[in-house]
Amino acid sequence: GAVVSQHPSWVICKSGTSVKIECRSLDFQATTMFWYRQFPKQSLMLMATSNEGSKATYEQGVEKDKFLINHASLTLSTLTVTSAHPEDSSFYICSATAPNTDNQPQHFGDGTRLSIL
Amino acid sequence: DQQVKQNSPSLSVQEGRISILNCDYTNSMFDYFLWYKKYPAEGPTFLISISSIKDKNEDGRFTVFLNKSAKHLSLHIVPSQPGDSAVYFCAASARGRDDKIIFGKGTRLHILP
């Protein structure tokens, strides 16, 4: 149980386009989801906390107009990278808080590799 | 300011021996600590966790030790196996607040044949 799915797993697009990444909790309802970003050989950096039905909470230094987060249902959160540029190329990972999993507060998706040309 | 620190970027251990990965933290509000294993282009896989009310938690070959006074934790893997080769992330959380998980930079573990 507690499976989190991300789509797409890999996307390549031209500079200036917007890219949407989906994060779904497949077998549980997630009131809270998190979005992380990982550069090569770096740590997972928390970008924002996504709460169902309300605005996301962004970490310091993360542009909310650049990285739009929508958590419209209890099983889906989306991250849209607007007007993407090569420096936005990174590995994006989402996670969700599942109920009754005290030892593991967040369940992670498999990530999305974003490459901007 | 890095709140979770893994000062060893890499570690090589002979197969069958014990692997010890270390982690330090600075935020005294952290009360829950986790270790994750990660391969490139995949999400992190949860290994083991420990609450601040304990000083040791064991699960099979994995044991995590917590020294609160030193703000230090370690992950012991024994015996080490080839499949253990991966990047290991230490992470910390202040549960009951916002449940954000803060990750260290990771340690790449190489298990040598």
Side-chain angles (χ1 to χ4, degrees):
Chain A
V3 177
V4 175
S5 174
Q6 263 184 260
H7 179 81
S9 57
W10 196 358
V11 57
I12 303 173
C13 60
K14 292 182 178 180
S15 183
T17 59
S18 294
V19 180
K20 180 185 283 188
I21 303 170
E22 293 186 346
C23 179
R24 294 181 184 274
S25 56
L26 297 186
D27 51 0
F28 65 99
Q29 293 184 329
T31 55
T32 304
M33 291 183 172
F34 302 86
W35 287 96
Y36 295 82
R37 179 176 183 177
Q38 185 188 25
F39 290 107
K41 298 184 179 181
Q42 297 290 319
S43 181
L44 282 74
M45 299 298 298
L46 180 64
M47 299 175 66
T49 303
S50 170
N51 296 296
E52 187 266 338
S54 64
K55 291 183 179 180
T57 303
Y58 290 82
E59 294 300 302
Q60 190 173 11
V62 178
E63 300 176 59
K64 60 181 181 181
D65 294 330
K66 173 76 172 177
F67 299 99
L68 300 178
I69 292 172
N70 184 281
H71 194 157
S73 78
L74 287 171
T75 60
L76 174 65
S77 175
T78 59
L79 168 68
T80 301
V81 184
T82 62
S83 186
H85 289 94
E87 59 267 28
D88 298 322
S89 298
S90 188
F91 191 62
Y92 293 86
I93 307 172
C94 74
S95 69
T97 303
N100 302 320
T101 54
D102 288 341
N103 67 331
Q104 188 179 351
Q106 294 180 24
H107 296 264
F108 288 83
D110 282 336
T112 298
R113 180 166 300 283
L114 175 62
S115 298
I116 309 298
L117 304 177
Chain B
D1 180 32
Q2 209 177 341
Q3 299 183 65
V4 179
K5 302 178 183 179
Q6 292 178 258
N7 292 320
S8 297
S10 67
L11 174 69
S12 295
V13 175
Q14 206 78 34
E15 181 180 355
R17 298 287 185 99
I18 182 171
S19 295
I20 300 176
L21 297 100
N22 293 302
C23 177
D24 298 292
Y25 62 97
T26 58
N27 190 338
S28 57
M29 300 297 282
F30 290 145
D31 57 7
Y32 200 74
F33 305 90
L34 310 98
W35 284 95
Y36 289 87
K37 178 180 181 181
K38 189 179 182 300
Y39 296 110
E42 292 185 11
T45 300
F46 171 76
L47 285 175
I48 193 169
S49 60
I50 188 168
S51 165
S52 60
I53 62 173
K54 295 184 176 181
D55 54 21
K56 176 183 175 181
N57 189 25
E58 190 173 354
D59 184 1
R61 295 187 300 116
F62 303 94
T63 303
V64 56
F65 296 92
L66 175 63
N67 182 334
K68 283 181 293 182
S69 61
K71 292 191 174 67
H72 176 84
L73 63 153
S74 61
L75 174 68
H76 293 211
I77 306 173
V78 56
S80 300
Q81 298 174 354
D84 296 330
S85 294
V87 178
Y88 289 78
F89 287 95
C90 172
S93 173
R95 303 194 80 179
R97 293 175 176 84
D98 51 20
D99 284 334
K100 293 192 293 187
I101 293 180
I102 307 300
F103 285 83
K105 287 190 173 182
T107 297
R108 182 174 297 277
L109 177 63
H110 300 272
I111 302 302
L112 306 172

